[in-house]
Amino acid sequence: MAIWVKLPRRSGPVLLFLFLGLLLGAWAGKIRYSVPEETEKGFFVGNIANDLGLQPQELAEPGVRIVSRGRTQLFALNPRSGSLVTAGRIDREQLCAQSKQCLVSFNILVQDKMKLFPVEVEIIDINDNTPQFQLEEVEFKMNEITTPGTRIPLPFGQDLDVGMNSLQSYQLSSNAHFSLDVQQGADGFPHPEMVLQSPLDREEEAVHHLLLTASDGGSPVHSGTLRIRVQVVDANDNPPAFTQAQYHVSVPENVSLSTRLLIVKATDPDEGANGEVTYSFHNIDQKVAQIFQLDSYTGEISNKEPLDFEEYQIYPMEIQAQDGAGLMARTKVLIKVLDINDNAPEVTVTSVTTAVPENFPPETIIALISVHDQDSGENGRITCSIPGNLPFKLEKLVDNYYRLVTERTLDREVTSRYNITVTATDQGTPILSTEMHISLQVTDVNDNPPAFSKESYFTYVPENNPRGASIFSVMAHDPDSDENSRVTYSLAEDTFLGAPLSSYLSINSDTGVLYALRSFDYEQLQELQLRVTAHDSGDPPLSSNVSLSLFLLDQNDNAPEILYPTSPNDGSTGVELAPRSAEPGYLVTKVVAVDRDSGQNAWLSYRLLKASEPGLFSVGLHTGEVRTARALLDRDALKQSLVVAVQDHGQPPLSATVTLTVAVADSIPDVLADLGSLEPSTTPDDSSLTLYLVVAVAAVSCVFLAFVIMLLVLRLRRWHRSRLLHASAGGLVGVPASHFVGVDGVQAFLQTYTHEVSLTADSGKSHLIFPQPNYADTLISQESCEKSEPLLVTQGLLEDKKETFSQQAPPNTDWRFSQAQRPGTSGSQNGDETGTWPNNQFDTEMLQAMILASASEAADGSSTLGGGAGTMGLSARYGPQFTLQHVPDYRQNVYIPGSNATLTNAAGKRDGKAPAGGNGNKKKSGKKEKK
């Protein structure tokens, strides 16, 4: 493809040159264009879209862009026309200095296809620079004896352009003594020299003024001038001479400033001023002159700025030596800069992806990376690497480009984030490297089903469990994240005993807790096999199953069942035969029973509960066999009735009974005959038994009626005495009767206290509690004392319940008083725990009188309140045998306000439960505790 560039002249050769350049670029596999320098912004370079095989509008996509390294973007893409245009003014001399060919290389990245297209653009020089001399005027001194033909090298001009636009010719103004000769130098540039044509005569003309003009070959032609002043001096026949025709030196680029690099030496055999030599730079580049310094007297060359191999590899310069008479000599100096590894590689990420799903296939491109090292040789050779333990690899592309790709499929559950370190290392000494970090997030996909911690579960559930009880829990873990890891639970559909599983069990879908929806019966169902399914919430959802075995534990909830003998439907009992000649151990029959429970709950034992003739039969403990325990006698009744109990070993044990009728006879006819002979005699026995029962019931009724009448009499007597006490209490008029208690006719003033009575239908479970009294120094008001006397309430309770004290418990073995319970002043303690006891002589005498009166009543046998209202129940407990040594046991029958004494539970004694000896005041009677 030809690129048309509008040039003022000679456009034909330029087009041909561009056309050949493009053909060469296409053959090399690169797209190549050319553009003249100093063009305006937006200047057309080439139809890049057509050359890349793209549509113009595709250039507008953000993924298509120009990628260049280390320089300002000189070109841009025009998405409207699909062409490559200039991004601004381009100065060829600034880019390539005086290189013959100026090429700008870059790449065009098509990110969607992840392709790079190398492009080269040649910058064509135009004549935009004028030849110039470093000095405006130069002065030479020539001895008048200088022979004709002497050549004086002149400063040459510099033109930054190249080719025909560079410096092409020199011209010297006309002069009779001097002429211009231009020689082609080894570097390919013309070197002007001024040649002396005729001898000089200082006396004729001491100074000669000349003008040197340098012209280029451009159109239009540009030129520059240099003024030359030649001064004629007296004769100096020896010019300076350098020790070497050319000086060479090699220095590393990291040499420090002001380091002496080289010393040039020139000698002049003349004497005086004609032999004094001075040194100066001659025909040196301006940048070189800024870097190096020359001592004009010693010829020492040093650096005043850092050297840079990447900028100049060799610094050429020319040194001129001149004596005092003006004779000169020149020599060349070449300073070679040695490269050192002072530049670390540069790493640039051109394109990168920060997040990829874990199911992406291998060879997925993660990033596009460019590396570069400014050093040369081994110092600039770069290797790029990443850690070997990562699932990634680097693939080298063109122009030091690499791409980072996945080596295998990623797994987020193993690693959710990768920090990839890309290291670029050169081969220099010392080795320099650069690291660049790429962070890659692996996003989750639902690729893991929930997993249970075990392959199967089992648990034990006791039968008769409550409905809705939690019996087990399962848990599954999903290593995915977010919704992909949220697990829900369900039960697989199944049927047990004709009913769906959902009627037996339910599971919490969020927690996996299993609940029983019914009470299980071990006798109907011993085991449940079910499957629990765990689903995650991903898309698509994944699930896993686990088996769960529920084993029911048997409870003792079934009583034994008697299989033999069976009870007839008419209510009669079966008859077993036992011959009178049976020896001991004769098997009469066998009781057969089963228990629907299992294990220990179904282990049965047999025992003889009741027999009409004790000792005649025995029952095997584990076999249930009924055998004769002794030989049958003639006096043994013909009909023997046995009650056999069958009991299991569960907790609590359950039992069943069966009644056996054993006929003592050798055969069935004998049984029938014996029963016929005995039949008339059974009626009188039955009638006598009925008579006994009627007489017993009548006697009990009479005793109960007499007891009720006695209680009424005692009630009237107590009421009568309370009236007498009111009449005799002259000093305590106005005090309510509830503040007094009568014991054996002795009145004692009591403190105010409270009591609590709890009555139940069972007298053995009634409670009577007297808490600690509330002491007061003054009499309390009438309103606060409207409560019945505690002793009267207690006695009334006993009368209403009709409790009798017909059976007395043995005396309490622990009869000794505690220090707090002993009467009198010596046993008096504070009332915090033991209550108030008499602590003066008057109270002591009252207590002694009360005890003597109780003893007297015990001798007479006239007791109320379980033995007498005035005896505190002592007569009822001990009867006529009461003596003063039994005084300690009065604490078990009467409560004295302000003390720790408790009232004995008469109901417990009535039931025949004697108190345990040695328990003192802490003994229990039945289920009631008195305080």
Side-chain angles (χ1 to χ4, degrees):
M1 172 183 170
I3 299 177
W4 296 92
V5 180
K6 188 176 180 180
L7 298 175
R9 287 192 244 176
R10 291 174 289 187
S11 60
V14 173
L15 288 177
L16 180 60
F17 174 75
L18 295 179
F19 182 77
L20 293 176
L22 288 179
L23 289 179
L24 182 60
W27 177 79
K30 295 184 179 180
I31 301 174
R32 189 165 183 178
Y33 302 99
S34 62
V35 63
E37 65 172 331
E38 302 297 333
T39 56
E40 297 295 330
K41 180 179 179 181
F43 184 82
F44 175 80
V45 178
N47 192 344
I48 190 65
N50 186 28
D51 294 339
L52 295 180
L54 303 174
Q55 296 298 326
Q57 57 272 19
E58 291 182 356
L59 298 179
E61 297 179 1
V64 180
R65 66 180 187 271
I66 295 176
V67 180
S68 61
R69 173 180 53 80
R71 62 176 59 186
T72 307
Q73 290 286 351
L74 302 178
F75 302 94
L77 298 175
N78 189 339
R80 293 184 179 179
S81 61
S83 59
L84 180 69
V85 297
T86 58
R89 178 181 169 273
I90 302 176
D91 188 356
R92 183 188 184 283
E93 287 73 25
Q94 185 177 1
L95 289 176
C96 304
Q98 289 186 324
S99 300
K100 293 182 178 180
Q101 190 177 28
C102 183
L103 295 176
V104 177
S105 299
F106 56 91
N107 295 280
I108 295 180
L109 171 65
V110 181
Q111 190 166 0
D112 292 342
K113 300 179 180 180
M114 282 308 234
K115 292 185 177 180
L116 286 170
F117 297 93
V119 178
E120 285 184 357
V121 179
E122 181 181 6
I123 309 301
I124 300 175
D125 182 47
I126 64 173
N127 192 19
D128 58 344
N129 292 283
T130 301
Q132 293 180 354
F133 293 92
Q134 294 184 8
L135 302 175
E136 295 182 358
E137 183 178 2
V138 64
E139 180 180 357
F140 297 103
K141 293 181 179 181
M142 298 187 69
N143 198 297
E144 59 181 343
I145 63 172
T146 303
T147 60
T150 301
R151 294 176 174 270
I152 302 174
L154 299 177
F156 53 84
Q158 292 182 351
D159 194 333
L160 299 179
D161 296 327
V162 296
M164 294 299 298
N165 296 325
S166 63
L167 193 149
Q168 299 294 326
S169 63
Y170 291 93
Q171 186 177 1
L172 185 65
S173 61
S174 61
N175 187 278
H177 297 279
F178 299 95
S179 64
L180 180 65
D181 186 17
V182 179
Q183 299 291 333
Q184 192 73 18
D187 54 2
F189 293 96
H191 291 183
E193 294 181 350
M194 189 172 61
V195 181
L196 181 62
Q197 297 292 332
S198 60
L200 299 176
D201 187 358
R202 188 188 65 81
E203 288 73 23
E204 181 180 355
E205 187 176 1
V207 177
H208 298 271
H209 295 278
L210 302 172
L211 182 65
L212 179 63
T213 302
S215 301
D216 59 20
S219 177
V221 177
H222 298 287
S223 61
T225 59
L226 172 66
R227 295 190 301 272
I228 301 175
R229 183 173 179 270
V230 180
Q231 183 177 0
V232 182
V233 295
D234 285 337
N236 181 19
D237 53 351
N238 292 301
F242 284 96
T243 57
Q244 297 180 16
Q246 192 173 17
Y247 291 86
H248 297 272
V249 67
S250 298
V251 295
E253 63 176 326
N254 62 343
V255 65
S256 58
L257 299 179
S258 300
T259 299
R260 184 176 65 183
L261 305 178
L262 180 67
I263 297 178
V264 294
K265 181 67 174 176
T267 60
D268 192 331
D270 293 330
E271 294 183 353
N274 294 329
E276 293 181 359
V277 181
T278 59
Y279 303 92
S280 64
F281 286 118
H282 180 71
N283 291 335
I284 189 172
D285 188 84
Q286 293 181 357
K287 291 185 178 179
V288 176
Q290 294 175 0
I291 296 175
F292 297 97
Q293 182 178 1
L294 176 63
D295 192 324
S296 60
Y297 296 101
T298 62
E300 179 181 297
I301 301 175
S302 61
N303 63 320
K304 55 183 179 180
E305 288 188 5
L307 305 182
D308 190 358
F309 175 83
E310 288 70 35
E311 185 176 1
Y312 286 96
Q313 299 180 9
I314 296 178
Y315 291 94
M317 61 188 72
E318 191 174 359
I319 306 299
Q320 176 178 283
Q322 185 175 3
D323 58 17
L327 296 181
M328 296 174 292
R330 295 182 181 88
T331 186
K332 287 187 177 182
V333 176
L334 296 178
I335 298 178
K336 184 178 180 181
V337 180
L338 301 178
D339 183 34
I340 64 169
N341 195 22
D342 59 343
N343 291 284
E346 300 175 2
V347 181
T348 305
V349 178
T350 305
S351 177
V352 66
T353 301
T354 59
V356 294
E358 61 177 325
N359 61 348
F360 261 31
E363 302 297 329
T364 299
I365 299 176
I366 304 301
L368 194 63
I369 303 170
S370 172
V371 294
H372 175 70
D373 196 322
Q374 296 182 7
D375 295 323
S376 62
E378 292 296 323
N379 296 333
R381 185 177 300 172
I382 304 173
T383 58
C384 200
S385 63
I386 60 174
N389 58 347
L390 297 178
F392 304 97
K393 63 181 179 178
L394 282 173
E395 296 180 352
K396 193 175 187 314
L397 302 176
V398 296
D399 291 343
N400 287 333
Y401 276 90
Y402 291 84
R403 66 177 183 180
L404 179 66
V405 299
T406 57
E407 192 173 21
R408 62 177 182 270
T409 303
L410 305 180
D411 189 354
R412 190 206 64 84
E413 286 70 37
V414 176
T415 305
S416 61
R417 177 180 291 274
Y418 290 94
N419 289 319
I420 308 168
T421 301
V422 180
T423 304
T425 307
D426 59 22
Q427 304 301 318
T429 303
I431 296 175
L432 299 179
S433 63
T434 301
E435 292 184 352
M436 187 268 301
H437 302 279
I438 298 175
S439 180
L440 180 64
Q441 178 73 34
V442 182
T443 59
D444 183 47
V445 296
N446 192 24
D447 57 345
N448 291 283
F452 291 92
S453 58
K454 298 181 180 179
E455 295 182 357
S456 62
Y457 295 88
F458 68 91
T459 186
Y460 297 93
V461 180
E463 66 171 332
N464 304 321
N465 58 288
R467 295 182 180 181
S470 171
I471 58 176
F472 195 66
S473 66
V474 295
M475 178 173 291
H477 173 68
D478 195 321
D480 293 324
S481 63
D482 299 332
E483 289 297 320
N484 295 332
S485 65
R486 190 161 59 90
V487 181
T488 58
Y489 304 89
S490 63
L491 294 177
E493 292 295 335
D494 202 351
T495 303
F496 294 95
L497 301 179
L501 177 63
S502 57
S503 64
Y504 289 87
L505 300 168
S506 68
I507 190 169
N508 189 311
S509 62
D510 295 327
T511 62
V513 178
L514 203 64
Y515 297 93
L517 299 182
R518 62 169 63 180
S519 181
F520 297 117
D521 189 357
Y522 177 84
E523 288 69 37
Q524 294 181 359
L525 186 65
Q526 289 80 31
E527 180 181 355
L528 279 175
Q529 295 287 344
L530 57 139
R531 297 193 69 81
V532 180
T533 303
H535 302 265
D536 60 23
S537 301
D539 185 19
L542 301 178
S543 63
S544 60
N545 299 323
V546 69
S547 62
L548 174 60
S549 300
L550 298 181
F551 299 100
L552 297 181
L553 299 178
D554 183 43
Q555 303 290 320
N556 193 25
D557 57 346
N558 293 282
E561 296 181 5
I562 308 296
L563 299 181
Y564 182 84
T566 58
S567 299
N569 297 329
D570 57 358
S572 62
T573 60
V575 178
E576 302 291 341
L577 292 178
R580 288 189 177 272
S581 61
E583 296 295 330
Y586 174 79
L587 178 62
V588 177
T589 185
K590 181 176 181 179
V591 178
V592 180
V594 295
D595 196 318
R596 295 177 60 191
D597 295 324
S598 64
Q600 188 174 356
N601 297 328
W603 183 22
L604 302 180
S605 61
Y606 303 83
R607 62 188 178 91
L608 184 61
L609 187 64
K610 182 180 180 182
S612 57
E613 185 70 28
L616 181 57
F617 297 95
S618 64
V619 178
L621 178 63
H622 301 297
T623 62
E625 296 176 349
V626 180
R627 297 179 181 270
T628 56
R630 60 177 174 81
L632 297 176
L633 305 177
D634 294 338
R635 60 180 176 83
D636 293 330
L638 173 64
K639 180 181 178 182
Q640 297 290 334
S641 179
L642 304 178
V643 179
V644 179
V646 183
Q647 181 175 322
D648 59 25
H649 287 73
Q651 291 296 331
L654 301 178
S655 62
T657 59
V658 62
T659 301
L660 301 177
T661 300
V662 180
V664 181
D666 294 330
S667 63
I668 294 178
D670 294 342
V671 173
L672 296 177
D674 291 342
L675 290 176
S677 63
L678 292 175
E679 186 177 356
S681 64
T682 58
T683 303
D685 294 339
D686 293 341
S687 61
S688 61
L689 179 60
T690 305
L691 179 61
Y692 294 154
L693 292 176
V694 172
V695 171
V697 171
V700 171
S701 301
C702 292
V703 171
F704 175 73
L705 182 60
F707 181 72
V708 171
I709 294 173
M710 183 176 59
L711 289 179
L712 292 175
V713 171
L714 291 176
R715 169 74 69 173
L716 293 175
R717 181 182 178 185
R718 185 182 59 188
W719 175 77
H720 179 67
R721 287 192 176 187
S722 64
R723 300 284 293 179
L724 292 178
L725 289 175
H726 272 290
S728 62
L732 298 173
V733 178
V735 178
S738 61
H739 289 255
F740 295 87
V741 63
V743 181
D744 247 3
V746 180
Q747 295 181 352
F749 182 75
L750 304 179
Q751 287 80 6
T752 302
Y753 57 88
T754 61
H755 62 275
E756 179 182 350
V757 179
S758 176
L759 301 179
T760 63
D762 184 6
S763 62
K765 298 181 180 180
S766 301
H767 294 274
L768 182 61
I769 300 173
F770 292 96
Q772 289 289 351
N774 299 324
Y775 300 102
D777 294 335
T778 59
L779 295 177
I780 58 177
S781 63
Q782 177 68 25
E783 291 79 1
S784 63
C785 300
E786 294 179 356
K787 297 182 180 179
S788 60
E789 296 81 1
L791 284 180
L792 298 182
V793 174
T794 306
Q795 187 173 4
L797 172 62
L798 296 176
E799 292 176 357
D800 294 341
K801 298 297 290 182
K802 298 179 178 60
E803 296 181 351
T804 61
F805 301 89
S806 60
Q807 183 178 359
Q808 300 296 327
N812 194 331
T813 57
D814 189 7
W815 57 267
R816 291 167 294 181
F817 287 101
S818 66
Q819 183 68 20
Q821 293 174 330
R822 294 175 182 172
T825 57
S826 61
S828 303
Q829 302 293 335
N830 54 26
D832 295 340
E833 296 181 357
T834 62
T836 304
W837 278 84
N839 55 5
N840 53 51
Q841 183 177 3
F842 177 74
D843 294 339
T844 304
E845 291 175 355
M846 285 197 300
L847 179 61
Q848 292 175 354
M850 179 175 62
I851 295 174
L852 291 177
S854 300
S856 176
E857 288 184 2
D860 296 340
S862 58
S863 63
T864 62
L865 187 58
T871 63
M872 302 178 290
L874 297 176
S875 299
R877 181 173 180 85
Y878 299 101
Q881 292 80 17
F882 172 79
T883 61
L884 288 179
Q885 65 180 356
H886 297 116
V887 170
D889 284 329
Y890 80 90
R891 293 176 290 118
Q892 303 178 9
N893 299 306
V894 67
Y895 173 83
I896 298 178
S899 71
N900 290 334
T902 59
L903 189 63
T904 302
N905 185 357
K909 299 177 182 179
R910 182 188 61 200
D911 296 337
K913 299 179 181 179
N919 292 335
N921 295 333
K922 298 182 181 179
K923 75 182 185 68
K924 296 183 180 179
S925 298
K927 297 182 180 179
K928 177 174 66 176
E929 180 181 354
K930 296 294 184 175
K931 292 185 179 180

